[in-house]
């Protein structure tokens, strides 16, 4: 089991066996803390985000954290990333870039949140959704050939499905 705890002052990642046979082990120690987003298929590493720049201003980075503790963490890309979701095969990550803050509800325009794809092995970024509306929380479908996301409009948020080819419904 991997989980977050603030027991020592900042939000850190801990792991422990499912059966509870060992006490939780803290595997991260950065003063800015982390958010946990899931396991890589290898079962040896986790996808997390952490603030590695100036406070709130586009500071979140995608980080791979190994649970053995010997390899530490690896910042996957030096680019702002929020709400990342790892593909079922562990080779790609969907994430959100930019977007306005909560006090600008219903924002439409060029700074609206976009959904991007990051290919881990090549380091390639591809913008998938940038339609002038706030698009958030991408989640892979079970086949890994598309994803779900929310699209915020003035009338509220709607759930959408998109294929990696760019077709959305």
């Amino acid at each position: 089991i991997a989980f977050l705890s603030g027991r020592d002052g900042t939000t850190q990642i801990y792991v422990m066996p499912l059966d509870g046979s060992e006490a939780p082990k803290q595997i991260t120690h950065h003063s800015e803390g982390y958010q946990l987003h899931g396991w890589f298929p290898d079962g040896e590493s986790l996808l997390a985000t952490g603030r590695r720049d100036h406070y709130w201003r586009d500071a979140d980075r995608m980080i791979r954290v190994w649970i053995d503790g010997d390899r530490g963490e690896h910042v996957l890309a030096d680019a702002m990333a929020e709400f990342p979701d790892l593909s079922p095969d562990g080779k790609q990550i969907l994430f959100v870039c930019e977007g306005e803050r909560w006090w600008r509800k219903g924002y439409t325009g060029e700074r609206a949140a976009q959904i991007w794809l990051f290919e881990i092995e090549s380091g390639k970024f591809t913008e998938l959704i940038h339609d002038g509306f706030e698009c958030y929380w991408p989640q892979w479908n079970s086949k890994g050939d598309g994803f779900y996301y929310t699209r915020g409009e003035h009338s509220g948020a709607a759930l959408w499905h998109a294929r990696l080819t760019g077709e959305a419904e």
Side-chain angles (χ1 to χ4, degrees):
I1 299 172
F3 64 95
L4 297 171
S5 175
R7 62 184 73 184
D8 292 323
T10 58
T11 305
Q12 301 297 324
I13 300 174
Y14 290 76
V15 295
M16 64 180 284
L18 183 61
D19 64 8
S21 61
E22 297 175 29
K25 176 184 170 188
Q26 183 177 346
I27 61 169
T28 59
H29 302 277
H30 196 284
S31 61
E32 286 294 321
Y34 297 81
Q35 292 298 313
L36 185 58
H37 300 283
W39 288 90
F40 276 83
D42 63 11
E44 298 177 5
S45 55
L46 299 160
L47 176 61
T49 51
R51 295 191 176 200
R52 299 297 183 261
D53 278 325
H54 306 288
Y55 185 49
W56 62 272
R57 189 169 198 166
D58 299 336
D60 292 334
R61 300 292 187 255
M62 292 182 290
I63 302 167
R64 188 172 192 168
V65 178
W66 280 269
I67 63 170
D68 64 13
D70 295 336
R71 293 184 261 179
E73 69 177 42
H74 174 71
V75 175
L76 294 170
D78 189 23
M80 181 254 194
E82 293 181 316
F83 315 112
D85 191 47
L86 188 61
S87 65
D89 64 7
K91 295 179 179 181
Q92 302 174 6
I93 302 172
L94 293 168
F95 68 97
V96 173
C97 188
E98 292 193 14
E100 289 299 322
R101 303 295 178 231
W102 62 269
W103 57 85
R104 298 210 53 197
K105 291 183 187 219
Y107 173 82
T108 58
E110 192 58 30
R111 278 201 38 87
Q114 311 116 39
I115 297 177
W116 286 72
L117 178 72
F118 176 65
E119 297 176 36
I120 297 169
E121 190 173 305
S122 68
K124 180 182 175 187
F125 289 91
T126 304
E127 184 179 61
L128 299 177
I129 307 287
H130 188 175
D131 61 8
F133 293 98
E134 297 280 38
C135 296
Y136 284 108
W137 300 289
Q139 297 289 305
W140 288 95
N141 66 20
S142 61
K143 295 179 183 176
D145 64 353
F147 59 96
Y148 299 94
Y149 66 99
T150 61
R151 178 178 159 179
E153 301 177 28
H154 289 292
S155 60
L159 183 62
W160 287 67
H161 181 264
R163 300 197 192 305
L164 289 182
T165 59
E167 178 185 340
E169 53 194 4

